Amino acid sequence: MSLAQEMFAIAPALGKANLGAAQLKLLTGKARWIFRVGEAGFPTVPTIAITRAAWDELQAERSRRDSRLRTHWVACLFKLVEKDGKPPVLVVRTSAVLHNGGLMPAKTGIAAPSAPEDSVDPNRPLARAIKEAFESYGPTGRGWAGARSDVDRSRQIVLVQAYAEGEIEQFLTRNAATGVIGPAPVNGHPLPRLPESVAALVSLLDAKAGRHMTCAVAVHKGQVRFLSARPIEASPAAELTAAVDRVERKVWTPQNAVSRVDPSRLGLVLHPRIKLTHDVAPIATGLGVAPGAASGIITFNAEDAARLRARGKHCILVVNETGPADIEGMKAATGILTARGGMSSHAGVIARITGKPCVAGLRTLSVNVAEMVCHIGDREFRAGDRLTIDGTDGKVYVGTLPLAQPQIGGAIGRLLGWSDASRTIAVRTNVETVESAQTALSFGAEGIGLARSEHMFFSPERMVALRRVILSEDEDARSKAIAGLIDYQTGDYSALFSAMHGLPVTVRLFDPPLHEFLPRTDEEIEETAASLGFSVRALRMRLERIAEINPMLGHRGVRLAITYPDLLQMQVQAVLAGARAASETQAEPVQVELMVPFVSTATEVAWVRERTMAILENSGLSRSDRVRFSFGTMIELPRACLRAGDIASMVDFISFGTNDLTQTTFGISRDDAPAFLAAYQRKGVYARDPFVNIDEKGVGEMIQIAIERGRAVNPRLKIGICGEHAGDPISLQFFAGLGVNYVSCSPYRVPIARLALAQTSA
Amino acid sequence: MSLAQEMFAIAPALGKANLGAAQLKLLTGKARWIFRVGEAGFPTVPTIAITRAAWDELQAERSRRDSRLRTHWVACLFKLVEKDGKPPVLVVRTSAVLHNGGLMPAKTGIAAPSAPEDSVDPNRPLARAIKEAFESYGPTGRGWAGARSDVDRSRQIVLVQAYAEGEIEQFLTRNAATGVIGPAPVNGHPLPRLPESVAALVSLLDAKAGRHMTCAVAVHKGQVRFLSARPIEASPAAELTAAVDRVERKVWTPQNAVSRVDPSRLGLVLHPRIKLTHDVAPIATGLGVAPGAASGIITFNAEDAARLRARGKHCILVVNETGPADIEGMKAATGILTARGGMSSHAGVIARITGKPCVAGLRTLSVNVAEMVCHIGDREFRAGDRLTIDGTDGKVYVGTLPLAQPQIGGAIGRLLGWSDASRTIAVRTNVETVESAQTALSFGAEGIGLARSEHMFFSPERMVALRRVILSEDEDARSKAIAGLIDYQTGDYSALFSAMHGLPVTVRLFDPPLHEFLPRTDEEIEETAASLGFSVRALRMRLERIAEINPMLGHRGVRLAITYPDLLQMQVQAVLAGARAASETQAEPVQVELMVPFVSTATEVAWVRERTMAILENSGLSRSDRVRFSFGTMIELPRACLRAGDIASMVDFISFGTNDLTQTTFGISRDDAPAFLAAYQRKGVYARDPFVNIDEKGVGEMIQIAIERGRAVNPRLKIGICGEHAGDPISLQFFAGLGVNYVSCSPYRVPIARLALAQTSA
């Protein structure tokens, strides 16, 4: 393309623009909308564009006292002249989409150049304005809206428009909060009175852009002329409503809607969130470990939380870290704020299960429980002060901010319905209570991919029963303690299977990080000793002996099943008894999938399989058509990935626990990562947090190796993903490429996964 | 081979045996030595052999009233008849090497069968004795000495000998303790008077067998006839002396000696060990984490240990676990016994550095420091009681057992000299003090492959300096604290480089598991607070805040260098200043290899490399021929193995930290593994402890992937192994197959590695 072609009319005063392909490519930002609206036949203010390359050459030519290109430029300016032949007053503006980059605002009232030389002389108004406009893009292309802004600044453009008579009015194509089609008011300003013909412009722009636009027009004697438009960020709920509305208006196909909505923003619709009506600065930022926002009164213990809840007050439980003793407090609180721990900390796990917003690992927080006071940085807070936390982004604010409640309206349901039509990978959920299972079902879960059996013990009575097992001094005592769990477990499983009405349920064998289930404070230790009939001294010694230095890599998972075979037997029996009970009360057969966690060798799988199959055989259920039993393992250690071929011959399915696999592949404890993760992201060592977006080149290759080796040996191997990554759209795209059969995520992420996976299939 | 050929004379009374190849293969156990001694021309008692297969067929034939094979058997028995033509009195014995399997002892005084039928009739003495001999091998072939005993029992043999006149005498071919050539006494019995001609038999057997043999002869009128022989287990020192002696006698080539000595037994020569003169049962078994045996008085604290040492007494420090406060106590003690922790625990690390025998993770031990009493199982011990521990096998004994001191005589030196001639892989050592470096050099180390810089801080004064760094509240305080370390470090490195006289020294950047360097007891916390000028309360809060849940996967290794760049800069400057200083006092250039630990991404390596190279450039040493600097990284995480291609382009060398790589590949904290490792080995889940012998199929494949990817990008990449596995013969054989350039192990394992690697090259 010659530089002469880089100065052209987007919307000429007379006739059509007739742009070449190369020119069409230059239409970024506002230029694009002006061209498209004009082409569609809506009255548009005459506009021309010039690229930086052309402008620079005009200036170079000028210093050479040449005028070849200038002739083209002057001819281009003549495209702004209407039928009356009078040179119009001019307006100069950048074409950028974003207006937050120090860009020059539109410069109006510029006299048309009276001589060709004036049109390029930077001492004259037109050329001066153009020069300023280019300069305002800044040296790094800040404010530049083209893709790859850093690469080709020469293609940045400036617009010159004829000045339009009449009032300049602004409006949105759709309501920013509700998504209802406009014209709609901008930033809460009153909507100006607009001629009816604006409706056609709104429809036109909405169809062309497929997103919320802010739009400027000139209204003169009831006539509307289009000036410019640029997209705006609407609320996730508004975007959703708009997408569904476009399908109803037949502007989009359902598939368009599915592919255009950003799944990561879908989650924001499903939780309370802070309405940031004006600039409120957070006082600190921790880790957002359980999404949603919460406002409330600061409390430091469960008693106060329960008291406030009883009085219908919201409270935020503020602690250094949480443990079993805090569960009741966490349930009573509206939100949780902790000084220590990460995504997989006790606080994070419990908060997500209970659906409580939680900010964890706020390192500037210190809590003095005894004195009922905490500090966040320099600021001191006492019980009764108010905080607002945002578990989505980890931000903490002083006082009570207004919150928006989740809107699970018809729009999200329709969009997800469309997305299911094009989705080939199943979406399950990670839950272990009937209540959570029902929530997940309402969000469209197609089964349970991970029921963490140890999470069924988060109540005081059961905690005692579990502690009795963990703290047993010898085999006999342990066997007795384990026998005491079977009734709980049978009932739990039966209820869970019934709740799922024949959808598959993957029960993971016991995998408690033991330390999370043990008493810690003096008071808890005394209570536990009393309830177990130990002396306090004996209990302390026992606790000291079983304390682990690295619990994440300790005596857990399949290691418990092999060292305590009674526990394995109790669990398998309880699962089977639960399945039998559920199958007697429903039409559908119960689909049970038993999963062995934390294996690193095929021998471990063989060991558990042999014992499990013997119990199954004894139960008579192996020949029942009322219970369909399958056996699998969780792959969450690098060695299990490498040995997946050996493992695959013994299992019906494998499910990748991507959290632990990320921890071991990187050698990072997620709980301890906050000490360096922020610095790593700031210094560019990690482009993305590998606990949020799957690390494709490391953890991803591990998974790939395992799938290849597993399927080579067992082509019918069913493959799933459970763990946080199963609810992350970027990660889901990667998993879909590996050919997994299903993913399983927390209930609130089920809709996100449904949409994200539909997009990968499209 | 027909069954007739499976009954044959090994040493016929007249003439030579003339065995076929198939018959030679049947010569296992004693039969082999009788045949070989007889063939060599030494007078030997006439002996025939029969296989179980032949014997069974003889019995089957008998029940069929057939006699075809019996004719062969009778003919075979006639081979025992000497020139005088008189049928001899017979002796029946098994041919097995091992005598601990319930085998029938030799049955003597059996009359020769008077009729052919008698020779197979189990009611007659000869056939009855043969039947009993076969039965005594047992149903599982217990006591059977052939290879693959479980596979082919039909090839087991029984010997029938002519009864030899005279005294039956036993002796060893070499002294069991010293290895000096015999005849030597058996089990401390007095040596019988033997004719001089026995010397020829001893030489003959020693040359044929190449190991210590116990030998039975009949002495009659000054004439010696050989009866049988079997190998015995001699002390490692005796085996070594014997091997070198055989080379001197030109029975073996030096290469024979190198390939015949078991490297894993070499280590036993280099440490004190328990002389188990009679059966002493251990009272408990923990983990042997630092080799050697120690006896002494039980102490529970450093003060008592120091007091006893000052009085020239040996003591065993008995604690629940060790920490920085115990280092002085550990130095003063002769041995260390802990209730918790594994191979890489603080106790294990310090014990190996200081060369103290240590048994760790003795789970039946509990120590009550306040009351100065400990329990091991049911037994109670008080300060002043005596224990003996064996850090080689983890055994603990009551009282003081006699110990044998290491014998690093000429024999080991000569053997290792020969082994170096055929070795192609270098052997370095893991040390950080001048004293340990000198020990390692005396053991033949060819450089330092791992100097753990944080280990240079194990003295009270330095500990305070290091704690000041760790506990700094902000950047400023940290920078000042770090600046306080540079003089220590420069001096340390300079001394270490000088001690190594131009051999390569790999300095690993700071990689402290922070918690090992922090105060724990109230007293320590008060002291630390005072020395750092903190309030006790502030220090406690700070300690609580930096406590890690999984320190193994926490804020360590390269993560420290990136979050605290001052620390990196200080270390690189100190290393370079130390190298410069050392280079000025010696003829050889200093070879410095800087190693970045615990990397998981190539970006981390690039980040550290860029800063390191800038400091090197500034120092002017990059162009010096007095200091040769190279840059590398430690590969100890699965992700680093996968990304080795990216990493290799930026480094001169990589060294595999196999301990941490095993921990992350398996997801096992070595410190916490004792809770299930014993059960895993007992139940056959692990055939071998992966922390002792490298796991070839998992961790090994990780290493293989890294080497392939690394060398593909950088063919000149130097590759090393550091970690415990670098001193394990089985692992070394695997590493040699991967084409590594060097290995690096603790000083006492250097000789083992030299020998093991020579064997892999042979």
Side-chain angles (χ1 to χ4, degrees), chain A residues 340 544 549-553 559 562 604 639 665-669 672 680 683 695 701-702 709, chain B residues 340 544 549-553 559 562 604 639 665-669 672 680 683 695 701-702 709:
Chain A
R340 275 202 297 277
E544 197 162 301
I549 295 172
N550 297 291
M552 152 72 202
L553 306 176
R559 296 163 195 167
I562 292 179
E604 291 168 319
R639 197 178 188 285
T665 303
F666 273 92
I668 294 180
S669 156
D672 302 312
Y680 260 47
K683 297 186 182 193
D695 159 50
E701 190 186 355
M702 275 287 157
R709 295 184 179 184
Chain B
R340 276 203 298 277
E544 199 163 299
I549 295 171
N550 296 291
M552 152 73 204
L553 306 175
R559 297 163 194 168
I562 292 178
E604 290 168 318
R639 196 178 189 284
T665 303
F666 272 92
I668 295 180
S669 156
D672 302 311
Y680 261 46
K683 297 184 183 192
D695 160 51
E701 190 185 356
M702 274 289 158
R709 295 184 179 184

Side-chain angles (χ1 to χ4, degrees), chain A residues 329-348:
Chain A
M330 293 173 76
K331 284 185 183 166
T334 311
I336 297 119
L337 176 62
T338 78
R340 275 202 297 277
M343 187 60 77
S344 55
S345 64
H346 180 267

